Amino acid sequence: MVKTFIRTENTEGISDFVRILLRGTGQVMFQNNAWTGLLFLIGIFWGAYHEGQGLVAWGALVGLTVSTLAGYLLRFSLHDGEQGLWGFNGVLVGCAFPTFLGNTVWMWLALILCAALSTWVRKGFNNVMAPWKVNSFTFPFVFCTWMFLLAARAMHSLPTVHMSDPSLPAAFSSVESLRFGHLLIYWLKGIAQVFLIDSWVTGLLFLVGLFVANRWAALWAAAGSALALLTVLLFKASGSQIAEGLYGYSPVLTAIALATVFYKPGWRSAVWAVLGILVTVFIQAGMYVMMAPVGIATLTAPFCIATWLFLLPLVRFDEEPDHSNWDAANKKHLAHSGAVVNPQK
């Protein structure tokens, strides 16, 4: 009887931890839903292996686990941990390291350190930003990863084999194929690149995962990538970056944040989100030029900067805005829309 009880308690503890990890993956796109996180992970693994970069998927899993465990070890708020808020920066760190660095033991040790660091950097950034009523979003991932990628330029044990060579902005060609099938692939890749995955199938799985949690989030993710794609086509941006979806991922996150998380879905938040998407595209383009001389990726910095620019004025649409806690904002808007909020998912 006692052995059965212990076995049951252990099983429940493991299942709870897995659920927290899955929520951490979902929270990259603001979704506190384990099923969404599972679909995101499936998309990451499928896309990574399909592109011959299976280590990216395992890096995501390591980063997610380490950053979540760091929250327990540091005794941070258990509420944050249960919502998956310790893990979403870490899973992105885990995707980034194998994407840009060579496969060495030292790379994996650096990944573990950076993933853990992202958890307490998030706490620190949120403390600093709380008086401004905004959140640090994925900027802990951006900041920590930037520092490690820059350090790799000075450390031979962190081979920069997959990083761009530092260069000044040069001539580039615009996208050539405007056929519907190709545009559809570019659009879906823009969603997949949130996790640094270059796969349209992954983008489709991400949309399904979003729809499971919040149909508005799925709609705005699709709209964010589509509007970004249209904008860069009209302004004739780099064809290779468009084809890889590299102009879509930050606008996707901005769209979800402004249209579904921090403001209640409506026509005013829709207009605000559209403006945010457009601004994000131009920040993305500007940051590509700014980061080229050091040869590191912009990551999700354009999303963070653009979303801060649209939240910091504290524009009031329906109620007094407080953008420091997206979990509370999500629950409020889901309840208002009549959606079912199940804390066990």
Side-chain angles (χ1 to χ4, degrees):
M1 184 72 174
V2 174
K3 289 182 178 179
T4 302
F5 174 76
I6 293 174
R7 191 180 302 114
T8 303
E9 288 292 300
N10 289 338
T11 302
E12 289 178 354
I14 293 172
S15 63
D16 287 343
F17 183 67
V18 170
R19 191 176 295 115
I20 286 170
L21 291 179
L22 293 175
R23 287 174 181 167
T25 310
Q27 288 285 15
V28 172
M29 296 198 208
F30 302 97
Q31 306 307 310
N32 177 22
N33 187 295
W35 290 111
T36 298
L38 178 60
L39 285 166
F40 283 6
L41 274 179
I42 291 171
I44 292 169
F45 270 85
W46 194 96
Y49 272 95
H50 185 261
E51 296 300 317
Q53 295 180 311
L55 291 178
V56 172
W58 292 107
L61 201 56
V62 171
L64 173 65
T65 304
V66 169
S67 57
T68 302
L69 290 174
Y72 285 109
L73 293 174
L74 293 167
R75 297 184 179 181
F76 286 163
S77 166
L78 284 177
H79 176 74
D80 276 6
E82 290 168 355
Q83 309 310 307
L85 297 177
W86 293 339
F88 70 94
N89 281 291
V91 70
L92 292 174
V93 169
C95 287
F97 271 57
T99 296
F100 299 112
L101 300 176
N103 181 24
T104 68
V105 171
W106 308 109
M107 183 276 287
W108 288 100
L109 291 175
L111 187 160
I112 290 169
L113 176 58
C114 188
L117 178 66
S118 71
T119 303
W120 70 76
V121 167
R122 172 185 176 270
K123 178 66 172 177
F125 281 177
N126 282 350
N127 288 343
V128 171
M129 295 179 173
W132 304 345
K133 296 184 178 181
V134 294
N135 195 280
S136 62
F137 305 135
T138 58
F139 195 70
F141 148 66
V142 173
F143 176 80
C144 295
T145 304
W146 274 351
M147 293 303 103
F148 276 75
L149 292 181
L150 287 171
R153 298 285 188 191
M155 298 178 176
H156 286 306
S157 292
L158 295 175
T160 59
V161 291
H162 305 304
M163 290 172 61
S164 301
D165 293 328
S167 63
L168 294 175
F172 58 86
S173 58
S174 301
V175 69
E176 295 180 359
S177 177
L178 295 177
R179 288 187 294 179
F180 177 76
H182 289 160
L183 293 178
L184 185 65
I185 289 173
Y186 303 160
W187 166 62
L188 289 171
K189 282 187 176 183
I191 301 167
Q193 287 285 6
V194 170
F195 286 89
L196 293 88
I197 302 295
D198 184 20
S199 167
W200 68 269
V201 175
T202 296
L204 186 60
L205 285 168
F206 287 176
L207 279 180
V208 174
L210 286 169
F211 190 84
V212 166
N214 185 339
R215 65 181 183 275
W216 283 109
L219 173 65
W220 276 101
S225 184
L227 183 55
L229 176 59
L230 176 63
T231 303
V232 292
L233 287 174
L234 290 174
F235 282 87
K236 297 183 178 179
S238 166
S240 62
Q241 290 175 329
I242 292 173
E244 293 174 8
L246 296 178
Y247 272 103
Y249 65 93
S250 276
V252 163
L253 293 172
T254 301
I256 296 172
L258 295 180
T260 73
V261 179
F262 297 107
Y263 292 109
K264 183 174 64 181
W267 72 265
R268 284 175 291 189
S269 62
V271 172
W272 202 233
V274 168
L275 291 173
I277 292 166
L278 295 175
V279 169
T280 305
V281 172
F282 284 93
I283 293 175
Q284 182 83 62
M287 290 198 71
Y288 279 142
V289 175
M290 184 176 71
M291 304 302 286
V294 292
I296 62 173
T298 63
L299 306 177
T300 56
F303 146 66
C304 295
I305 294 170
T307 306
W308 287 333
L309 291 177
F310 278 78
L311 294 182
L312 281 170
L314 298 177
V315 173
R316 182 172 181 173
F317 292 152
D318 298 291
E319 61 260 324
E320 191 66 31
D322 183 351
H323 309 307
S324 59
N325 184 348
W326 75 62
D327 180 57
N330 248 330
K331 287 181 179 178
K332 178 172 60 179
H333 297 154
L334 285 172
H336 183 88
S337 66
V340 177
V341 181
N342 187 349
Q344 297 304 313
K345 287 185 178 180

